[in-house]
Amino acid sequence: PDGRKNSSDTVMCETALNLADQHLASWTYWDSDFSTDPAASPPHGSTGSDRLSLGNKWEGVRVFARCYPQFTAGTPTYLSWSVDSAAMVMEFKIDPSVTQPTVIVTPMLHYPDGFHVSVSGNLKYRIDRGEGVVKVNPKAGTKAGELGKVAIARIG
């Protein structure tokens, strides 16, 4: 992406990343180096207000700064992300034998005023602001293979 919201480069990258999410494929992007421009590389632990310092680089960075499941305690079945609304939805078949929580990364550049989390009735969650993640566990009595759903949406 070149920093222009509707340029062919930005649209192409956003489309490719959305297709990767749709097919539950992981990805790594090696073609851009936002770190060479200090204004385009907020420090580790940055907050949503840092996007103001990105200037026109925000359009390029925002495509890559996505809310995503870092670990899923079960089998992922659906993932969607909207770069414009910063809304993420994931569904997965729950495996209650996995003791670690499902971990969803929430890049604060998209959530300057915070975010809402909603989960299906068989799940519970907690927000770990220090790590910038949402941790999701099945509730007691959840059976293997039940479908769990997590939705994260921007406040404001």
Side-chain angles (χ1 to χ4, degrees):
D2 59 12
R4 294 176 295 139
K5 182 175 180 169
N6 294 317
S7 76
S8 61
D9 289 342
T10 301
V11 170
M12 180 186 71
C13 285
E14 187 174 338
T15 300
L17 296 177
N18 287 341
L19 284 169
D21 288 347
Q22 180 181 345
H23 293 283
L24 303 172
S26 63
W27 55 269
T28 302
Y29 191 80
W30 295 95
D31 193 34
S32 290
D33 182 4
F34 299 109
S35 65
T36 59
D37 178 355
S41 183
H44 178 71
S46 62
T47 65
S49 63
D50 292 316
R51 75 180 179 176
L52 299 176
S53 69
L54 292 173
N56 68 351
K57 293 282 189 178
W58 167 242
E59 288 301 325
V61 172
R62 77 185 193 113
V63 173
F64 295 101
R66 303 165 79 81
C67 193
Y68 69 94
Q70 187 175 54
F71 176 79
T72 303
T75 304
T77 59
Y78 177 79
L79 177 63
S80 72
W81 164 257
S82 168
V83 70
D84 291 322
S85 67
M88 191 272 320
V89 176
M90 76 170 290
E91 294 177 357
F92 62 103
K93 291 182 182 176
I94 300 168
D95 182 350
S97 71
V98 177
T99 58
Q100 295 85 7
T102 292
V103 178
I104 302 168
V105 175
T106 54
M108 297 314 296
L109 288 170
H110 282 289
Y111 304 110
D113 298 318
F115 54 86
H116 293 290
V117 179
S118 60
V119 296
S120 55
N122 53 1
L123 298 173
K124 58 186 177 181
Y125 73 91
R126 72 180 178 86
I127 298 171
D128 185 329
R129 296 195 191 285
E131 292 184 27
V133 299
V134 175
K135 295 182 178 181
V136 181
N137 291 94
K139 288 183 177 177
T142 300
K143 306 281 189 249
E146 283 185 34
L147 192 64
K149 181 176 181 178
V150 181
I152 297 175
R154 178 186 300 141
I155 293 175

